[in-house]
Amino acid sequence: MVISHKGKMFPLGSTVSDAGVNFAVYAPNADKVCLCLFDGFGRCERDRIDMYSHEGGVWSVFVDSLKEGALYGYRADGPYSLSDGHFFNFNKLLLDPYAKDFSGEFTWSERHYCHLPVGEFNTLDNAIDMPKSKVVKAQLYTGTKPNIAWCDTFIYECHVKGATQLHPEIEKNQVGKFSALVQPAFLQHLKSLGVTAIELLPIHAFVSEQFLTTKGLQNYWGYNTLSFFVPHKAYCINGDINEFTTMVRQFHEHDIEVIIDVVYNHTAESGIDGPMLSFKGLNNNGYYRTLNSSESTYINDTGCGNTVNIDDPITLKLIMDSLRYWVEVMGVDGFRFDLATILGRTSEGFTSRHSFFQAILQDPILSSVKLIAEPWDVGPGGYQLGAFPPPWREWNDKYRDVVRRFWRGDGGTLPELAKRIHGSNDLFEHNQRGPLNSINFLTSHDGYSLADWTSFEHKHNEANGENNRDGHSENYSFNCGVEGATNNSEVNNLRIKMQLNALVTLFLSKGVPMIAAGTELNHSQLGNNNAYCQDNEVNWLDWSGQNMTHSLSQSISDLIKLRKQLSVFQHPFFVHADDERFSVEWLNKKMLPMSESDWHDEENKTLMYILADKLKSKAVMVILNADTEHLTISLPTSPFSSSWECMFTSEYAFDAKTLPISFCLTGQSAWVLVSNLEENTND
């Protein structure tokens, strides 16, 4: 016989004590909420216990003698009214929004839907197709965190499964799992590259959309969240969520931070016709944004069917509690927020003074971790690059696009390219942020790989089952003369060279550099620029064969080492004319300061700049030549010494270390030169 009593209304979720387990859930409009306890296999509902109502809409119950590991779910009864946005259906087993672990698998069936069709109440019980929430006794993370400064950060965006699924030096039972990422072979690879932070694509528990599973596809990326607290169980060898924390601890022991990509903008419950899994059956109007209409209509600023209503205080609390949990219990060092504009939206639109941003800023835990915004969504006024408040960093797609266009050979790109290389002061300086607020990248999980950027002029997404209609049509890409894979060595060499050119630009730009996993391996997605549903070799990194032959690993390692030697890239502020220590000078092909006509010459496809540190009497000159023609240039000698040392070039044929004052600048090449100033201006 189960013995229970009222219990406490906070904390929400399940809380273990020596006497038993307290359960608390928020369902303000429910008439009745029941706690459902299951057997150890999650198959039989052995007890159904009425919960007690508290002020403010919280329901609770304390179950005596219940232990950690118990499996449970909720059922909520109340009004069912489309016009009012109330979808209570006692036939649906609901996941605890605060569950820290699950047991069992999610299976798609018509039983998950609240109504079939719209308006017709669905009496089918879905418990058989639902995972069960699992009682966990959370322990605070005890590892030592690296706390790497932004100026020293180099981010490696990575998919848990795809990074190691084909790795020949990792045991078969570990490939594609959290534990594989910290096996010596992969760890050493990251260390040799110079990576300081691994940014994992969504690791919150997620499910594949039904429209994908019916086509035999899966949601590979993971942007379809089922829980804000539970690690994705498919990434655990034995379903043990502690494997995630073990992974984090081992990364920290090697001075690598862990950033996770989080999706707080929408959930897997989709639109009004989507499944009822958790939030929708507890407080639909509170958790999701809806329009005031005769029928409850979801606002879809995410393009995924629903939009999380962060204006609601309990929803805001849920997200804040989730973030703190991942820092304090799971040990992560920061977050990349998918479609982050959603998190700053009120009914009036986006505001940098949203309560979410203020809550983060005043929070002693969250204000000190790495916070990265994807600064856009698909709603009205959704593009907000540069509008986020300190201390947020932002993915800078303007940087990505102009670097791609410049190396593709587009005219008229120099003025914007210079701004992006300089750290995008036009975007970030207005609210007292610096160049390190810009996350600079060439490619990410979304879009072409860097190899495909130089191999395809047209997207090839046929495998996604949408007749190639999905994905962006303009990728600022080129194919070096042949569409797709080729055995032509001249074409392949040019492709590698152009990738190197772009990488030189990335690592010699002010801002925080990020690369997508596989960039260093010349990884191709076969021209698919929206490979979110390809759980196969399209996304899995190939650690053998041609990819390794054309590896860019050593070049990336050399460039990040070079960057770290140059003090100007540790400088947290923009370099302007009145800077006492640093200077930046933009030069034309005659080594004279760029004139207005030079900047706006559509045919000018060469950008050269010198960054000097007067305190250390050191200067670096970067030459980016996207023109196909060779050009003889004379290097400046004053106030520099009479020689420049070539630290890196994408030009294969060049092997000299010290450059002559006059030399041939080859077409489509990038160069990094270093020189000493003749005298220390601070002496």
Side-chain angles (χ1 to χ4, degrees), residues 313-533:
I314 299 299
T315 306
L316 174 60
K317 173 179 168 54
L318 172 71
I319 293 175
M320 294 295 291
D321 289 346
S322 169
L323 290 169
R324 277 191 294 268
Y325 178 81
W326 285 96
V327 174
E328 294 186 289
V329 175
M330 307 304 276
V332 305
D333 304 279
F335 306 92
R336 181 266 188 187
F337 293 81
D338 181 61
L339 300 184
T341 298
I342 294 291
L343 303 177
R345 279 191 181 274
T346 69
S347 58
E348 303 299 319
F350 177 86
T351 172
S352 62
R353 300 180 63 83
H354 194 282
S355 56
F356 173 71
F357 298 133
Q358 296 183 34
I360 290 280
L361 186 60
Q362 63 79 43
D363 189 286
I365 301 299
L366 300 179
S367 60
S368 61
V369 303
K370 287 182 164 65
L371 303 169
I372 303 172
E374 182 185 41
W376 50 79
D377 62 29
V378 300
Y383 189 75
Q384 293 292 335
L385 176 61
F388 284 71
W392 285 75
R393 271 60 185 169
E394 301 177 40
W395 271 24
N396 192 342
D397 66 323
K398 287 190 175 182
Y399 179 94
R400 174 199 66 196
D401 290 350
V402 75
V403 172
R404 289 184 179 192
R405 291 180 57 226
F406 171 76
W407 285 112
R408 184 172 71 169
D410 292 10
T413 59
L414 295 192
E416 184 175 359
L417 179 63
K419 289 179 184 177
R420 305 299 154 234
I421 288 172
H422 188 243
S424 297
N425 67 301
D426 59 321
L427 298 174
F428 299 109
E429 200 168 19
H430 69 92
N431 58 0
Q432 297 181 310
R433 293 192 292 166
L436 294 172
N437 288 83
S438 176
I439 304 296
N440 296 337
F441 65 105
L442 304 167
T443 57
S444 67
H445 68 275
D446 189 2
Y448 279 149
S449 68
L450 193 65
D452 286 356
W453 169 64
T454 62
S455 304
F456 295 93
E457 292 188 0
H458 309 285
K459 63 181 181 179
H460 296 270
N461 299 355
E462 291 81 5
N464 295 353
E466 298 182 43
N467 296 316
N468 207 32
R469 292 191 301 266
D470 61 310
H472 294 292
S473 295
E474 178 52 88
N475 300 278
Y476 306 118
S477 63
F478 52 99
N479 61 22
C480 296
V482 178
E483 186 77 356
T486 179
N487 292 323
N488 187 312
S489 59
E490 185 176 337
V491 170
N492 286 328
N493 288 337
L494 177 59
R495 288 173 175 175
I496 293 295
K497 182 181 178 183
M498 296 303 286
Q499 291 175 57
L500 281 174
N501 289 336
L503 288 167
V504 169
T505 312
L506 176 68
F507 289 108
L508 274 297
S509 295
K510 296 274 282 180
V512 178
M514 180 188 85
I515 65 169
T519 296
E520 74 278 22
L521 304 178
N522 194 35
H523 173 70
S524 173
Q525 296 174 176
L526 308 181
N528 192 323
N529 73 352
N530 188 34
Y532 76 103
C533 57

Side-chain angles (χ1 to χ4, degrees), residues 23 25 30-37 45 47-52 59 61 72-77 90 92-94 282:
F23 296 88
V25 64
D31 297 329
K32 176 182 178 180
V33 180
C34 286
L35 169 70
C36 304
L37 297 177
E45 185 178 334
D47 291 293
R48 187 174 292 186
I49 306 167
D50 288 345
M51 301 182 76
Y52 297 84
W59 299 72
V61 68
Y72 70 100
Y74 298 122
R75 295 182 187 273
D77 205 2
F90 202 67
K92 309 307 172 189
L93 184 75
L94 305 173
L282 293 168

Side-chain angles (χ1 to χ4, degrees), residues 538-550:
V538 169
N539 277 309
W540 302 344
L541 302 188
D542 181 4
W543 295 89
S544 61
Q546 187 179 18
N547 283 5
M548 297 303 290
T549 302
H550 291 284

